[in-house]
Amino acid sequence: MSTLTLNPAPYIIIDFDSTFTKVEGLDELAAIALKGHPERDQIVQKISDLTNKGMNGEMSFADGLRQRIALLKASRSHIEELVSFLRTKVSDSFKRNTQFLTENAEQIFIVSSGFKEFIVPVATELGILADHVYANEFVFDEEGNIVGIDDENVLSMDGGKIKILSALNLSGDVYAIGDGYTDYELKASGLANRFYAFTENVERPKVTAVADHIATSFDDFLYDNKFSRSQSYPKSRIKVLLLENVHPVARKAFEEEGFNVEFVKGALDEDELCERIKDVSIIGIRSKTTITKRVLENANRLMAIGAFCIGTNQIDLDEAAKKGIAVFNAPYSNTRSVVELAVGEMILLIRNIVGKSNSMHKGIWDKSANGSFEIRGKKLGMVGYGSIGTQLSVVAEALGMDVYFYDAVEKLSIGNAKKVNTLEELLAMSDVLSLHVDGRKENTNMIGKREFDLMKDGVIFLNLSRGHVVDIKALADAVKSGKVAGAGVDVFPKEPKTNDEMFESELLGLPNVILTPHIGGSTEEAQENIGHFVPSKLLEFMNNGSSYGSVNFPEVQLPKLKDSHRLLHIHANVPGVLAKLNQIFAKNNINITGQYLKTNEHIGYVIVDIAKDYTEEFIQEVKEVEGTIRFRMLY
């Protein structure tokens, strides 16, 4: 069955401090008890150092424990305060899997060098049996002050955990989970079959070096042993590759979800990317990285691509779809930033501010109105009337401009903007011409010598869209001839991949030309917005299966999963797949609680929520349906 139980049932030995909880109990008790003490920080640090030395196997545990207790001045009231604090510090992956702990309580023990007084109240709330907690115990005086520890308790001695486990005499497999060297010693002694170094809270190299497996979470341990769990897969095993210095909030979003994130400042060329993308499940890029068919052929685990920008022409969308890889972008997050740059540049250029400023830097005072105009009353022509074009239309109109646009797709105009029927008509009438088209191949050299010849003499020309849509030589010639009185260019056919590469262009040094390094959307506000938006879409797809907002995938907005398991089946868009799936569901008496289907020209996306009772054979049948591209489960 999918909700696997421990059969044959191994015994699971779990450490408490920095494993079951995120912190070291004794260290926190010291911090609480010494509140207001003039040497509090120094004493707490000494206790923490002793803890770490013991956990790393660098000193006798028994000696370290007694030295820590000697530094501690605490009472029962402090322990009560500590318990309340520790309840808020239970490791996230243990909290997520309380059901597993409860259902398998007979097989689970906490064996800790900590103290029962604060371990039992916390552990039992998550299903651990009180008599399955083995730990040290404090000795108190009549006033309730801690005066020592129970020296007869074997856990106060070196090798105490080994002695406890030996006394338990457990028959069957034993798995030990912990962050300290004393936990590894259970495996080294032969009393445990496997040792899992638990690194969700702290990673100790000397401990991970001797582990059979590094468990980045309790989910990881459960997944490794095919036990029932709260998550269908441990997120620490999902590798995320973020390129081109995307905003830090994106990295934080994935790390907070528990994903394994690799961050690269620059872009990667095709050969580098073919190598780096292996074993990556999610990749985030901006405009300089190209994800080709060859790259996708090397992406053995890739499930989703995030374009941290508007355009997606740098991604082979059809090939990604055929491989069941969903692509998401940020169509609106940086529109305001691009619009503001366009408005700023058209004002600077039509006033010839660039030339005046350059002259001033040379000591030349040229106070003259010649060739300097207002934008009020001028005709703004926009090629493309999408998210950026429409917003620029509103701002330009508020500044007193007459707005006209041409778009190959029928668009409803906003405000007083007027649609013209042909590109040629727009070119001939515009005082300022601004491009806002996408990067499809058909738009290559959309504006060349012919188009510049059709424009008004002295036109102001802006390209903040895609580099390859303008013939740069033709633009340079138009500037030199005076046909174009000023130009603002933010995007280029060939752009440096990093800030260390030299930029070259025929536009260099030309008068009244503003060149910017593809920064139309590069404001702190825009990049932060994108950094929030794109990961949210990627995480919805990974965690919930929702593909709403994808540019190449059938769009499905899914409800949150409740008390069911969710099957996500991506298949080639051929007849009969859904019928075959339904036959498998019927044959296996599967109780369907929800079903969703959407297709596009390449693939079909079937999502089925089912009751938890099903066999592994059923899952295998679903995976083997002819035409299956990818299958995964969520719960």
Side-chain angles (χ1 to χ4, degrees), residues 214-225:
I214 297 173
T216 56
S217 66
F218 193 47
D219 299 291
D220 199 353
F221 167 80
L222 298 174
Y223 181 85
D224 190 61
N225 290 284

Side-chain angles (χ1 to χ4, degrees), residues 365-598:
W365 183 271
D366 180 17
K367 181 175 171 59
S368 168
N370 293 336
S372 181
F373 304 94
E374 293 181 351
I375 63 168
R376 180 176 55 174
K378 302 300 184 294
K379 292 184 176 67
L380 169 63
M382 295 186 300
V383 184
Y385 199 63
S387 302
I388 294 173
T390 52
Q391 192 169 151
L392 177 58
S393 168
V394 172
V395 176
E397 190 176 324
L399 291 169
M401 301 187 80
D402 299 322
V403 180
Y404 299 85
F405 68 91
Y406 169 75
D407 199 302
V409 178
E410 188 63 35
K411 296 288 182 69
L412 179 66
S413 62
I414 296 175
N416 295 316
K418 299 177 181 65
K419 185 179 190 298
V420 301
N421 295 321
T422 66
L423 175 61
E424 289 76 11
E425 182 183 353
L426 187 75
L427 298 176
M429 69 188 304
S430 301
D431 299 307
V432 179
L433 189 79
S434 188
L435 305 185
H436 302 286
V437 298
D438 61 34
R440 69 187 69 182
K441 291 180 181 179
E442 294 82 359
N443 288 336
T444 301
N445 289 340
M446 169 189 282
I447 305 296
K449 183 180 185 305
R450 170 183 171 273
E451 286 72 28
F452 283 115
D453 288 343
L454 292 172
M455 295 180 196
K456 280 184 175 182
D457 292 341
V459 68
I460 300 298
F461 179 80
L462 301 177
N463 182 20
L464 284 74
S465 60
R466 300 292 184 273
H468 65 269
V469 304
V470 177
D471 181 336
I472 294 296
K473 183 181 184 306
L475 172 58
D477 290 343
V479 172
K480 292 173 185 176
S481 71
K483 168 64 78 169
V484 172
V489 184
D490 185 52
V491 289
F492 305 88
K494 187 171 185 280
E495 298 180 355
K497 290 181 179 176
T498 69
N499 291 341
D500 297 327
E501 291 185 33
M502 184 68 73
F503 168 68
E504 297 177 353
S505 174
E506 294 175 84
L507 300 173
L508 292 176
L510 295 183
N512 207 28
V513 172
I514 299 174
L515 303 179
T516 49
H518 204 147
I519 56 168
S522 295
T523 61
E524 285 293 333
E525 294 89 345
Q527 292 307 306
E528 184 171 354
N529 288 339
I530 293 171
H532 285 296
F533 183 83
V534 176
S536 72
K537 291 298 180 182
L538 292 167
L539 290 170
E540 276 187 5
F541 180 68
M542 296 298 294
N543 295 337
N544 190 44
S546 290
S547 56
Y548 186 75
S550 174
V551 297
N552 73 325
F553 218 72
E555 290 189 80
V556 183
Q557 181 72 60
L558 298 171
K560 287 187 177 180
L561 187 60
K562 293 183 179 179
D563 201 34
S564 299
H565 287 186
R566 177 165 288 171
L567 282 61
L568 308 174
H569 190 274
I570 305 166
H571 57 270
N573 188 6
V574 295
V577 175
L578 185 59
K580 291 174 184 176
L581 288 172
N582 285 330
Q583 287 174 8
I584 295 171
F585 295 143
K587 184 178 76 172
N588 288 274
N589 295 316
I590 301 299
N591 181 22
I592 297 175
T593 59
Q595 189 171 36
Y596 315 86
L597 168 67
K598 200 78 178 283

